[in-house]
Amino acid sequence: MQQEPILPITKSQRRAINDEKGSSRYAKRTAIDSLLAERKLRKQLREVWDEPLHSA
């Protein structure tokens, strides 16, 4: 029984695969960025909130 040869992926096929992966990966980039910014703000607020008040 003879099998068909497996051909390598062409450049255009590889680019199409990479474009698809990249678009799905970065589609949620704005949501990730806003989540990270919110975490950073919470951390900053926590640091200020937990800091003891100094009397003058």
Side-chain angles (χ1 to χ4, degrees):
M1 185 172 193
Q2 186 179 3
Q3 294 181 348
E4 292 186 27
I6 298 174
L7 300 175
I9 296 175
T10 64
K11 267 189 183 179
S12 61
Q13 289 172 326
R14 172 55 59 197
R15 287 181 180 153
I17 291 169
N18 287 343
D19 287 345
E20 188 177 321
K21 285 182 182 179
S23 66
S24 66
R25 181 177 295 137
Y26 293 109
K28 299 175 185 174
R29 188 73 239 171
T30 55
I32 292 169
D33 287 343
S34 66
L35 177 67
L36 292 176
E38 188 176 320
R39 283 184 186 172
K40 184 177 180 181
L41 179 62
R42 278 192 204 150
K43 183 179 178 185
Q44 290 171 344
L45 290 174
R46 193 177 321 121
E47 288 173 357
V48 171
W49 185 259
D50 291 343
E51 198 172 280
L53 296 175
H54 299 288
S55 300

